[in-house]
Amino acid sequence: MARPTQPLISVDAVVTAALELIDESGDFSLPKVARKIGVSQSSIYNHVSGREEILELIRGRITEGSPVPPAGTPWDEVLRLEIREYRESFARHPRTAPLLVMQTVRHAKVIAFYERLSTALEEAGFAGTDVASALALIDSFAIGAALDLAAPGNVWEVEPGGGSALGRAVENASGLADRAGTAFAFGLEILIEGLRRRAAGL
Amino acid sequence: MARPTQPLISVDAVVTAALELIDESGDFSLPKVARKIGVSQSSIYNHVSGREEILELIRGRITEGSPVPPAGTPWDEVLRLEIREYRESFARHPRTAPLLVMQTVRHAKVIAFYERLSTALEEAGFAGTDVASALALIDSFAIGAALDLAAPGNVWEVEPGGGSALGRAVENASGLADRAGTAFAFGLEILIEGLRRRAAGL
């Protein structure tokens, strides 16, 4: 048998294995990552410092390929584009969400993403503690919408129609080709219009 | 040794064990639940039909004790109260979020919660597909805010101040006694005001 031309282990291989474990089971551990790659646990420490660094690399990985809005894009359009990308990144890996929100953001690419959001919010007119609050609102909405995208077609088991308000809601939504997408577009515009009015002091 | 006066296994014991496993590891399995209680896996099936029923019971469990707004409460106040409760329920068990959103809601108490939200949204003036979209917006915000509540104090590793928009945001927010709570209150009012204006066709 020829010797493998590629080493089994690399930072990329560690990140891929950990992300697959999270997608399957909701979490990962270093022994499981090592077993999955087929290497010893100690050899992983030659490539990454530990669990926290792997999670930060996953944070970068899931947003890989996200386009950056060109300079000069108006603030509301920056928010639209970035929030859409954010939702899609997490929708591909919904089970990373609880793990990633519980850890300080350190990945340079993701810090740059929040810098673009902060700059757009300042451009909208926000200042002081409201910028961080608006960032949290955007975070909450995008992560929640990503999880909603992973929801089943029938969100609630309820008699369609059937005289209840929820039944009517389910019946009306049943004709939608893309329930989650329709809801996301609805929510995104409410959010941006709400931020615009708040920043203007209305 | 006296015989135990309580049997080891009950529906409640199964739900408690599964919820503890999710809190610790992000997921549960029936063999792990059985091992945790100290019973055989087959005996669990005498109490619940399987994984899906356990998850539905967890959905009911985490909202246990949530007060119901009294009849006659105005729609916007119903939304405020219910969204606060929703966030707090999930904040105590953030790792249940991805599992619960991926399963159709069947628990009667939780269906009743969505019925109260739907009724409030109709009272606000929403009709047609917008009711389901507004429910999804509320869901996304509340689940996202619950995850944000589990976030660390230092959300981003960035030089406070330091000339960047994100640095300024972090510096300004650092004086807040309750960053996540401040952000939640800010977002909740933007959301409710946005829904009010949308329902009124503004």
Side-chain angles (χ1 to χ4, degrees):
Chain A
M1 221 172 101
R3 285 175 60 193
T5 52
Q6 292 270 329
L8 289 167
I9 190 165
S10 65
V11 172
D12 264 6
V14 169
V15 173
T16 299
L19 185 53
E20 284 175 8
L21 285 165
I22 296 172
D23 286 344
E24 288 158 19
S25 72
D27 211 341
F28 74 100
S29 67
L30 271 88
K32 282 185 186 163
V33 167
R35 231 177 0 255
K36 200 172 171 81
I37 308 180
V39 297
S40 72
Q41 198 182 329
S42 62
S43 68
I44 289 185
Y45 286 104
N46 294 328
H47 293 78
V48 292
S49 60
R51 180 180 169 87
E52 193 171 334
E53 186 181 349
I54 296 174
L55 274 173
E56 278 311 292
L57 291 167
I58 286 176
R59 201 193 293 281
R61 169 75 69 85
I62 68 171
T63 58
E64 225 162 55
S66 295
V68 172
T73 307
W75 72 265
D76 56 333
E77 196 55 25
V78 171
L79 293 191
R80 265 184 207 100
L81 295 167
E82 298 284 15
I83 295 170
R84 280 195 180 278
E85 280 298 318
Y86 188 157
R87 168 186 178 246
E88 279 164 28
S89 300
F90 273 94
R92 286 189 288 269
H93 304 284
R95 300 183 82 174
T96 63
L99 298 174
L100 292 179
V101 295
M102 282 188 253
Q103 178 167 305
T104 297
V105 179
R106 294 198 165 85
H107 195 289
K109 203 172 59 181
V110 183
I111 290 287
F113 161 81
Y114 281 104
E115 176 65 23
R116 291 193 297 277
L117 291 183
S118 304
T119 303
L121 290 166
E122 286 190 353
E123 195 186 311
F126 285 106
T129 60
D130 284 354
V131 179
S133 290
L135 287 177
L137 171 58
I138 289 168
D139 258 356
S140 297
F141 173 64
I143 287 189
L147 292 178
D148 185 46
L149 195 52
N154 51 336
V155 181
W156 305 281
E157 189 171 80
V158 62
E159 205 58 48
S164 76
L166 183 59
R168 279 188 291 279
V170 167
E171 186 168 30
N172 287 321
S174 69
L176 291 170
D178 177 11
R179 181 203 61 77
T182 303
F184 175 70
F186 171 97
L188 183 59
E189 292 312 312
I190 285 186
L191 194 96
I192 288 177
E193 186 57 21
L195 288 171
R196 184 197 309 280
R197 290 179 56 82
R198 174 66 66 101
L202 298 174
Chain B
M1 219 173 100
R3 285 175 60 193
T5 52
Q6 292 269 330
L8 289 169
I9 189 165
S10 65
V11 172
D12 264 5
V14 169
V15 172
T16 300
L19 184 53
E20 284 175 9
L21 286 165
I22 295 171
D23 286 344
E24 288 158 19
S25 73
D27 211 342
F28 74 100
S29 68
L30 271 87
K32 282 185 185 163
V33 168
R35 227 171 12 249
K36 200 172 170 83
I37 307 181
V39 299
S40 72
Q41 198 181 331
S42 62
S43 68
I44 288 185
Y45 286 104
N46 294 328
H47 294 79
V48 291
S49 59
R51 180 179 169 86
E52 193 172 333
E53 187 181 348
I54 296 174
L55 274 174
E56 277 312 291
L57 291 167
I58 287 175
R59 202 193 292 282
R61 169 73 71 85
I62 68 171
T63 58
E64 226 163 54
S66 295
V68 172
T73 307
W75 72 265
D76 56 332
E77 197 54 25
V78 170
L79 294 190
R80 266 185 207 98
L81 295 167
E82 299 283 16
I83 294 170
R84 280 194 179 278
E85 281 298 319
Y86 188 156
R87 168 187 180 246
E88 278 164 28
S89 300
F90 272 94
R92 285 188 289 269
H93 304 284
R95 300 184 81 174
T96 62
L99 298 173
L100 292 179
V101 295
M102 282 188 251
Q103 178 168 306
T104 298
V105 179
R106 294 199 165 85
H107 195 289
K109 203 173 57 178
V110 183
I111 290 287
F113 161 80
Y114 282 103
E115 176 64 22
R116 291 194 297 277
L117 289 183
S118 305
T119 303
L121 290 166
E122 287 189 352
E123 196 185 311
F126 285 107
T129 59
D130 284 353
V131 179
S133 290
L135 287 177
L137 171 58
I138 290 168
D139 258 356
S140 297
F141 173 64
I143 288 189
L147 292 179
D148 184 47
L149 195 52
N154 50 335
V155 181
W156 305 281
E157 188 172 80
V158 62
E159 206 57 47
S164 76
L166 182 60
R168 280 188 290 279
V170 167
E171 186 168 29
N172 287 320
S174 69
L176 291 170
D178 177 11
R179 181 202 61 79
T182 302
F184 176 71
F186 172 96
L188 183 59
E189 291 312 313
I190 284 186
L191 195 97
I192 288 177
E193 187 56 22
L195 288 171
R196 183 197 309 280
R197 290 179 55 84
R198 174 66 66 100
L202 298 174

